[in-house]
Amino acid sequence: MGRSEDQSLYSKMIKRNPPRIAERLFDWYCGNAGVDDLRGDMEEVFHRNVNKLGYRKAKNIYWRQVLSLIFSYAIRKRKSKAGFHQLSSSNPFDMWANYFKVGLRNLYRHRYFSILNMAGLAIGMSVSLLIITLFVSVTNYDEFHENKDNIYRVISYASTGKEYASAPPALGERLKNEYPGIKEVIHIDKNLYISEPTPKNPVFTFGFYVDPSFLSSFTFPLAEGDAKTALAQPHSIILTQKQAKKIFGELNAMGKFIAINNEQYEVTGIMKDFPLACHFEFNAIAPYSAICKDQLNAPVKEAWSEFKSHYIYLQLKEGQDPADLQAYLDRVSAEVYKSNPDFKAKFRLQALGDITPGPDLDNDIGPEWSYMSFVIAGSIGLLILLPACFNYTNISIARALKRAKEIGLRKTLGGLRQQIFAQFIAETVIVTVCSLLLSCGVFFVIRGQFQEMLVYGASLDLSLTLERFLYFLAFAIITGFMAGFFPAMHFSRLNPIEAMKNNIPSKRFSGTRIRKALIVFQFGLCLFFILSLVIFSKQYRYAMNFDLGFADENILDVDLYNAKPEVVSNEFSKLSFVQKVSFSSGVMGHGVPATWASLDNSKDSTEVFYMFVDGNFIDNMNVPLLAGKTFDNGDSKNGETSVIINQTLMKRFNFAGPSEAIGQIVRVDSLSLKIIGVIKDFHFWQLHAPPGNFFFRSKPDAFRLANVKIATTDAQMAMEEMDKTWHKFSNGEVFTAKFLSDETSAAFYQYRTLLRLFGYLGLLAISISCLGLLGMVVYTAESKTKEVGIRKVMGASRWSIAYLLSKEFLKLILIASLFALPITLLLDKALLGTEHYRVAITFIDIFLGLVAMFALGIVTMASQTWRTASINPAETLKYE
Amino acid sequence: MDFSISIHMKTYLGEFEELVLLTIATLGDDAYGVAIKDSIEQRCDRTISIGALHSTITRLEEKKFLRSWVGGATAERGGRSKRFYEVTRDGKAALSTAKSLRDELWAEAKINLSIQK
């Protein structure tokens, strides 16, 4: 009597069932296996438990039993006896061996197509391989530092919207003094430059002024010297091994002296050459104490707003939470910039590992790789890879007919859909892995060019290591899956009976439409590259030959630093090859500052660009003087007195002609200056925009460069002579000189890079498209052999047959042009549009592009169609 | 009747396997899954997982020590049949080999193995 009896009566009245989900799970897992008795056992126990222990416990036990059985050997054995299940085979590798064998045999039997496919895939994968290598080497930057997990950099966000990798030195001082969680503060100043010209070999030493903690926080071991004391004295310097060898040759550099800014620095250490994968770029370091005396004395305002080449790195103590430090930084920035109306900044911590690859910051300390560049690189890789994969898909599906009998037979003998699928994926993966080997070959060839094209390419290690090769292998296998997925799906869905009758119904995957769309896409891409190349090379030639309005040949720009212009002029003029010396505040044609000016008697002011030059400048640069005269060097000794305006400004001031403007007064920067001359407009903005309002001013204090016109072809000799002369009167300052024409053409660097990039990519895209087209044409030719034979017997000429075979593809190329043309024109117009002076895209260019593309298509098809058209019909009509 | 000519292999019986075989022998005609499990749990005072039990039974069947047949569906089991087990001649041979080995060792024990209660 009691509860249990009531319960048993109760549960007998209400039929409790074992948990349905558990039952269904069990049934699903067991599949065809004979497990009736086990189910019965569990149910019997369940009902017993419901009576004894209650419904909930019974359910619990039931679940546990289901799981226990599912993982037991008993079920495995019963399932395997049930057979007809993929997992029933005791040796899963048997079938793979067969797939491998059959795959290789098929590849060999249809050699032509196999090579086509492999070549296409190899080319497609090569760009991706490069990008993978790039990615792998960049993400491994700075891995060699032992303390890398605790090192952070302070970066700045200015209220102007710009983001800087640098930070104010004063912040570093505050952090050191006020925040306890920091183990080390490392100040880095990037201004260490020394050039030690030896007669044939100007060695350029550059690097940082650093706190001694630089050596302890970062892992830069010294080959010679003691890391603890090497940077103790302000006038010490540490060189890298390579640099020490460059400067001192085979002699031991330790203890020798190097002059920086007229002071002697002793070499107190030689640093072991550090790995290329480092975001720092330097070959010498000196103690921060050598320059920081100036920093601390700078007025407060400047200390917090001028930090172009100063960087702060921190090593936090173990366990210190960076979020806490971030809060502190926010407080400091709010406090410091409160009273500064012009400039505000916020600071952020950036972990060492987040620097490369990382966000795009100004004032980088060394090689910088931004996320955006990876996204772009990745898209380019895909753009080349996808057409190659599509080609494979295309050709495989088109040739399905040939494999139909084999597939039909396999299915009849019991092959499951999944097995057919697996077989074709395996075949594709074999093809891609073979292509990988070819692709590596292409990779080696284009690697050098690729490195040159990148801005920081020299600091990359693009070698092929085992680790990277494994990545490549994984990539090849993934590509195999991608390329083989659709053909495998198509094959696995073949109806075996229909297949053995050689009768494949046209379903979606046999898509002739997809095939056509792919060819259109590929040739559209080709047209894009060809046309863009035509247009951009036109623009490049235009830019190179563009008359900027001044003569930039044979002019050497020499940095003045603190030298006096008269001294420089006198000394250089003594040299025989120096024709003329003039002075300017900046590099001619390279961007100029602006100010506001107005005519004396008007309130209307206008924005005017300007440059400070001396009297010789206009003549030196061959800028045509339309009226008036140039500056008189004696005038400006006591300040500015005059300006020389350009035509545009003259019109802006509403003067009728150049002579009218002479003598008028212009108000600039609270000065009143007289117009003494008018020059013809010249392009101070290169090709970006038409010349705006401009005038020349004159003030010796503002001169920064000496423009030395030389009359010799031996530039090397000229530079050496000038360097010697320079050192006679300069105070140990360096002689830096660049040819104006070099600087002008350096600005066109981006054109050249763009052209090269388009050239290579275009070549790749064209190759892949032609291979794809070739494959399609061969297939069409093969499948139409009978038709061709009959037509020939009926009297068709070779031309008409060739036309018959190519007609379909010519139509596709035409459609491709129609699609690609507008897109290309739009894109190129947009790219060119950044330059105000640009070439117009004429019909000739378009025509050239189209002709090139059709020519490609026809040449590709020609060999095949001609061959087919020439076959003796007697042979083809025997083909069954 | 067991007509198979078994090559008499000296396969070793594990402890649990021996237990299961003997329990099946004690149950006679009623040796099916639930009964075996209950019997072992009761007698040995230990819980057996159903998966382990059936795996052992499957292995014993593979070794041809057990024979099974299907019968007896009841409403309690949702109308599903039971699978009954029986020890084969090979099974008996394995059991007696094991037993004689134990007996031999017990007899030759130099210490007195029986414990006085």
Side-chain angles (χ1 to χ4, degrees), chain A residues 112-114 116-117 387-400 487 509-523 767-785 804-810 812-813 857 860-865 867-868:
Chain A
Y112 193 73
F113 280 105
S114 308
L116 267 185
N117 279 330
C389 289
F390 289 156
N391 274 341
Y392 181 85
T393 309
N394 240 357
I395 294 179
S396 304
I397 293 181
R399 302 185 63 242
F509 283 133
S510 77
T512 19
R513 264 189 294 161
I514 299 183
R515 272 187 274 145
K516 290 190 177 164
L518 287 174
I519 295 204
V520 167
F521 174 73
Q522 284 175 332
F523 272 88
S767 321
I768 296 176
S769 307
C770 288
L771 283 173
L773 183 62
L774 193 60
M776 284 281 94
V777 170
V778 173
Y779 165 69
T780 311
E782 270 185 18
S783 56
K784 288 200 169 147
T785 40
L804 173 79
L805 290 171
S806 1
K807 179 167 67 165
E808 187 187 332
F809 299 107
L810 285 174
L812 288 178
I813 298 182
T860 311
M861 296 191 284
S863 59
Q864 288 309 310
T865 50
R867 192 164 63 97
T868 315

Side-chain angles (χ1 to χ4, degrees), chain A residues 447-461:
Chain A
R447 184 174 55 180
Q449 291 292 319
F450 181 69
Q451 230 172 336
E452 271 177 34
M453 278 199 282
L454 292 177
V455 178
Y456 291 114
S459 64
L460 277 182
D461 174 23

Side-chain angles (χ1 to χ4, degrees), chain A residues 15 23 36-45 47-48 65 68-69 72-74 76-78, chain B residues 32-34 37-38 49-52 54-55 58-59 62 75-78 80-83 85:
Chain A
K15 189 79 163 90
E23 283 184 334
D36 223 25
D37 57 315
L38 297 172
R39 276 278 250 122
D41 280 355
M42 289 198 291
E43 196 161 336
E44 190 181 324
V45 167
H47 288 297
R48 207 172 56 189
Q65 288 189 323
S68 164
L69 278 174
S72 74
Y73 174 72
R76 274 212 302 279
K77 184 75 199 250
R78 292 187 193 213
Chain B
Y32 74 104
V34 180
K37 183 164 179 298
D38 287 342
S49 92
I50 191 171
H54 279 283
S55 301
T58 309
R59 288 203 177 91
E62 275 173 8
E76 257 185 334
R77 295 166 62 88
R80 297 169 201 275
S81 38
K82 299 184 191 178
R83 188 173 274 269
Y85 300 94

Side-chain angles (χ1 to χ4, degrees), chain A residues 733-745:
Chain A
E733 275 157 355
V734 206
F735 174 69
T736 20
K738 292 198 191 87
F739 277 103
L740 181 58
S741 47
D742 284 347
E743 295 196 60
T744 315
S745 63

Side-chain angles (χ1 to χ4, degrees), chain B residues 15-17 19 37-49:
Chain B
E15 180 257 343
F16 192 59
E17 287 177 334
L19 190 60
K37 183 164 179 298
D38 287 342
S39 174
I40 297 180
E41 282 181 348
Q42 252 176 5
R43 199 186 293 269
C44 311
D45 198 16
R46 76 199 229 195
T47 42
I48 311 284
S49 92

